[in-house]
Amino acid sequence: MPKLLHIDSSPLYGRSVSRQLTGAFVAQWEASHPNGTVLDRDLNATPIPPVTGEWVGAAYTPEEARSPEQKKALALSDSLLAELEEADEYVFGVPMHNFGVPSVLKLWIDQIARVGRTFSYADGTPKGLLTGKKATFIIATGGNYDPQTQMASFNFVEPYLRSVFGFLGVTDVTFLTAGGTAALNYGQDRDAFLAPHLQVVQTHAQAI
Ligand SMILES: Cc1cc2nc3c(=O)[nH]c(=O)nc-3n(C[C@H](O)[C@H](O)[C@H](O)COP(=O)(O)O)c2cc1C
């Protein structure tokens, strides 16, 4: 039974482009995977603290040697990791915030990038441990960061996600970007703007 982990990170909910597109992805994925299950993780409704010195110390302490306090420090990380490990596929909704990923997504990444769980340096070289997973990142940006544009070098969203997930072992990745959403604030019709992006997302969700 395939499992999809659906993660959103836009604070705009009903007005969010990335949430609407991940919603369409999930609906299509469910239609094409009648035996599948979907787990939703809304990062704007999940309080995630920054990692602390205690957290780092606990992560680098062998599991069997961890104190009850250290286990407590890693409890949220453990539960977020369990979701990642049990899912076969991931879909992320990612709004660009200040040229990078939203802070709630960065906090989540800091919780799930765990030595011995999602990466290791066992033989001196980094090895990603989250293997056999497929990820789709649906990104929404106010401006346009297409490769040939002047602003392309300001886009730290896709390069960062490709690097960090690759480091963790997730290399089967697809990036679908809805660029230029700022036009919606200047009278562009939302349905007309979204139609081609919905088409791309649904086609991809059906194919994977
Ligand atoms: C806090 C914040 C920061 C933003 N920073 C950028 C930015 O650096 N570059 C950009 O093109 N758009 C930026 N935007 C616009 C968003 O990327 C755009 O509204 C996009 O549609 C967000 O995705 P969402 O609709 O799913 O929330 C920003 C929006 C917010 C709320």
Side-chain angles (χ1 to χ4, degrees):
M1 247 184 32
K3 268 196 183 169
L4 174 70
L5 176 60
H6 164 209
I7 296 188
D8 274 321
S9 60
S10 168
L12 298 186
Y13 288 90
R15 282 189 296 134
S16 160
V17 168
S18 61
R19 280 181 184 266
Q20 188 167 345
L21 293 174
T22 59
F25 178 101
V26 170
Q28 183 59 61
W29 189 91
E30 282 177 316
S32 342
H33 300 80
N35 301 323
T37 53
V38 179
L39 176 63
D40 300 302
R41 169 60 61 191
D42 180 355
L43 298 184
N44 303 89
T46 307
I48 303 181
V51 298
T52 58
E54 193 193 6
W55 187 100
V56 176
Y60 280 88
T61 301
E63 194 174 349
E64 60 284 2
R66 279 181 201 138
S67 67
E69 292 73 31
Q70 286 181 314
K71 286 183 183 155
K72 206 169 145 205
L74 295 179
L76 173 64
S77 168
D78 285 339
S79 64
L80 297 175
L81 276 171
E83 293 175 355
L84 263 183
E85 286 163 351
E86 77 185 43
D88 313 286
E89 295 186 37
Y90 313 136
V91 62
F92 291 86
V94 187
M96 175 185 275
H97 282 178
N98 301 311
F99 308 114
V101 300
S103 48
V104 291
L105 179 55
K106 178 60 166 62
L107 287 168
W108 177 87
I109 289 170
D110 289 346
Q111 292 287 334
I112 60 90
R114 273 256 306 268
V115 67
R117 289 291 294 272
T118 47
F119 70 92
S120 82
Y121 276 101
D123 57 5
T125 51
K127 187 173 172 215
L129 303 178
L130 266 184
T131 52
K133 313 289 189 184
K134 274 186 196 171
T136 302
F137 297 93
I138 301 180
I139 298 167
T141 63
N144 184 346
Y145 300 85
D146 288 344
Q148 70 281 8
T149 62
Q150 228 182 357
M151 291 300 285
S153 67
F154 283 70
N155 179 3
F156 291 90
V157 178
E158 181 174 332
Y160 170 65
L161 292 171
R162 195 181 287 282
S163 297
V164 75
F165 277 86
F167 174 75
L168 301 178
V170 184
T171 50
D172 189 346
V173 289
T174 303
F175 289 89
L176 306 175
T177 299
T181 66
L184 298 174
N185 301 328
Y186 300 102
Q188 158 99 52
D189 180 75
R190 188 175 170 97
D191 290 341
F193 176 86
L194 279 166
H197 299 297
L198 284 167
Q199 183 68 53
V200 168
V201 162
Q202 282 161 345
T203 304
H204 175 65
Q206 203 167 21
I208 61 164

